[in-house]
Amino acid sequence: MPIPNKVIYSDFDITLTPHPVHRDISRTTNENAVKRALRNLIFTDYHERPFSPSIGSGVNHLLFEPVDIITSELLRDKIIETVNNNEPRVKLLEVVVAPRPDDNKYYIRITFSILGQTNPVD
């Protein structure tokens, strides 16, 4: 008999939609909650959060730089620094930032493990 997934981490759903049964705000749990928190953290700029000016990544400032290896390394470093400094629930396993100059974009894959869970997450 498989062991049911235990809720370790939870957060409000960003859409703030009410739960269909108990009409309270829906929540995301475990993997989805941590993924959402990482996304929000990476897209947050410094001085954007009141009373927490040091939380942020500065990634937004690099998005209008040339799409090349140098900028992709800077993006990778900023993501690693931001996650390691501000998200204690995860352990980074790998951050891949590949420039796609013909499409004017980057391919970014973040692989991490959530503390208290066994499977890595992309």
Side-chain angles (χ1 to χ4, degrees):
M1 183 171 171
I3 299 172
N5 265 349
K6 204 168 79 169
V7 174
I8 298 174
Y9 304 113
S10 69
D11 202 355
F12 293 118
D13 186 11
I14 197 165
T15 61
L16 298 177
T17 56
H19 188 276
V21 175
H22 54 73
R23 307 301 295 162
D24 199 5
I25 295 175
S26 296
R27 65 183 183 143
T28 58
T29 58
N30 294 340
E31 181 180 317
N32 291 331
V34 174
K35 279 183 178 180
R36 176 69 66 182
L38 282 177
R39 182 179 292 131
N40 288 342
L41 187 60
I42 291 168
F43 287 129
T44 299
D45 204 3
Y46 294 113
H47 301 281
E48 189 174 319
R49 293 186 182 185
F51 307 107
S52 299
S54 63
I55 293 179
S57 68
V59 166
N60 293 338
H61 297 287
L62 294 173
L63 295 180
F64 295 100
E65 296 297 322
V67 180
D68 58 10
I69 298 294
I70 295 170
T71 307
S72 64
E73 284 298 312
L74 288 171
L75 279 169
R76 181 181 175 279
D77 292 346
K78 290 225 179 248
I79 291 170
I80 290 171
E81 178 185 352
T82 300
V83 173
N84 286 339
N85 289 341
N86 299 298
E87 187 51 79
R89 300 178 290 184
V90 303
K91 178 183 178 205
L92 278 178
L93 301 175
E94 182 181 39
V95 177
V96 176
V97 179
R100 301 257 171 98
D102 294 338
D103 299 329
N104 202 27
K105 63 182 177 182
Y106 293 93
Y107 168 78
I108 299 174
R109 187 181 80 228
I110 302 171
T111 306
F112 59 92
S113 62
I114 300 172
L115 300 180
Q117 298 196 1
T118 55
N119 297 334
V121 180
D122 269 346

